[in-house]
């Protein structure tokens, strides 16, 4: 289980006014609380600039919040305090994840097996399992620098899988991928859910989220503006799809913001 309690993140930005500019602080994430349980896929949805990536980076222990906290629970139901232990429970994936380009996928996964302390035979077996699970047999021995975007994304997921984390945090994992690569990643998320793992992910593909997600949090200007199952969100907005609900919710909050600024 992973839980955010009143998470906020403040940044400084430059604002231009004519020929002059000045610095001002703004909240990219503003007092967000949420929870994702074992065996759940939880979607984080919102327009560009809503604060999704900042939120996920804080949940993944890659960014320190300005205020609030992230709580993680292990398989035995104990809350984890140690930051290193927390990081060990999480597999984080984003489009900016970097892999060693001159390694083949197989070499890279074997290297990770050594890094994670697997005995040699277990590391080899785990590597072969990852290659099979993500259907990478045809390109597992190609250098990473020679792979397509979709193949690199599958290799990145294999990197997350090697450590066998309890929680997956995936920032737009299917963005820009071909159908076969996207389907492989969707199957991966469904399989992890069936294994009792927790999956938190952001996406712009609303049809994908409608099918995959047990629950959804919609974020606008750093705040949660809607939450619930895809069905309850559609019922509340009187719409027939998550895409229509998304437009209804964000058109509404945008108009409220304009009205408050008048």
């Amino acid at each position: 289980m992973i839980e955010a309690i009143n998470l906020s993140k403040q940044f400084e930005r430059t604002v231009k006014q004519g020929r002059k500019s000045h610095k001002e602080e703004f909240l990219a994430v503003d007092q967000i609380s949420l929870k994702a349980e074992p065996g759940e896929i939880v979607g984080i949805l919102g327009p560009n600039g809503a604060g999704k990536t900042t939120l996920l980076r804080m949940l993944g222990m890659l960014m320190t919040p300005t205020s609030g906290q992230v709580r993680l629970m292990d398989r035995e139901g104990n809350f984890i305090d140690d930051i290193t232990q927390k990081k060990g429970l999480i597999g984080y994936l984003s489009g900016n994840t970097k892999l060693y380009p001159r390694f083949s996928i197989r070499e890279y996964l074997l290297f990770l097996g050594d890094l994670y302390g697997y005995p040699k035979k277990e590391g080899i077996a785990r590597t072969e399992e990852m290659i099979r699970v993500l259907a990478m047999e045809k390109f597992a021995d190609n250098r990473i620098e020679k792979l397509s975007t979709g193949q690199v994304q599958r290799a990145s997921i294999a990197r997350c899988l090697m450590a066998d984390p309890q929680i997956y945090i995936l920032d737009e994992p299917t963005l820009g991928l071909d159908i076969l690569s996207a389907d492989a990643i969707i199957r991966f998320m469904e399989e992890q859910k069936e294994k009792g793992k927790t999956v938190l992910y952001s996406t712009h593909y609303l049809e994908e989220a409608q099918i995959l997600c047990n629950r959804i949090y919609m974020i606008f200007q750093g705040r949660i503006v809607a939450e619930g199952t895809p069905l309850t969100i559609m019922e509340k907005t009187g719409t027939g799809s998550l895409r229509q609900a998304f437009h209804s919710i964000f058109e509404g909050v945008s108009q409220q913001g304009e009205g408050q600024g008048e």
Side-chain angles (χ1 to χ4, degrees), residues 37-41 168 187-199 211-214:
E37 301 282 0
E40 265 195 323
I41 298 177
Y168 290 92
R187 284 196 303 273
F188 154 76
M189 287 192 280
E190 291 173 329
E191 288 166 2
Q192 298 312 302
K193 170 188 169 181
E194 293 302 316
K195 290 178 180 179
K197 303 295 182 75
T198 303
V199 180
I211 294 168
L212 275 178
C213 294
N214 298 98

Side-chain angles (χ1 to χ4, degrees), residues 75-123:
R75 289 184 176 91
E76 287 71 43
N78 303 310
F79 283 105
I80 306 299
D81 294 320
D82 182 74
I83 186 68
T84 302
Q85 285 183 288
K86 283 183 175 182
K87 288 183 176 181
L89 296 178
I90 295 170
Y92 187 94
L93 173 72
S94 77
N96 296 322
T97 302
K98 302 299 182 185
L99 308 178
Y100 292 105
R102 297 185 66 81
F103 278 16
S104 71
I105 293 175
R106 194 184 308 277
E107 289 169 338
Y108 184 55
L109 295 181
L110 288 170
F111 163 74
L112 290 176
D114 287 339
L115 194 65
Y116 296 145
Y118 288 128
K120 186 173 182 179
K121 286 185 178 180
E122 189 177 337

Side-chain angles (χ1 to χ4, degrees), residues 235-252:
E235 287 176 345
K236 286 177 183 177
T237 54
T239 55
S241 71
L242 195 60
R243 179 171 294 277
Q244 292 171 336
F246 182 92
H247 285 291
S248 174
I249 289 166
F250 288 107
E251 285 170 8

Side-chain angles (χ1 to χ4, degrees), residues 218-237:
M218 291 190 178
I219 297 176
F220 181 72
Q221 293 182 347
R223 295 185 176 184
I224 293 173
V225 294
E227 61 182 279
T229 67
L231 181 59
T232 57
I233 289 174
M234 289 187 287
E235 287 176 345
K236 286 177 183 177
T237 54

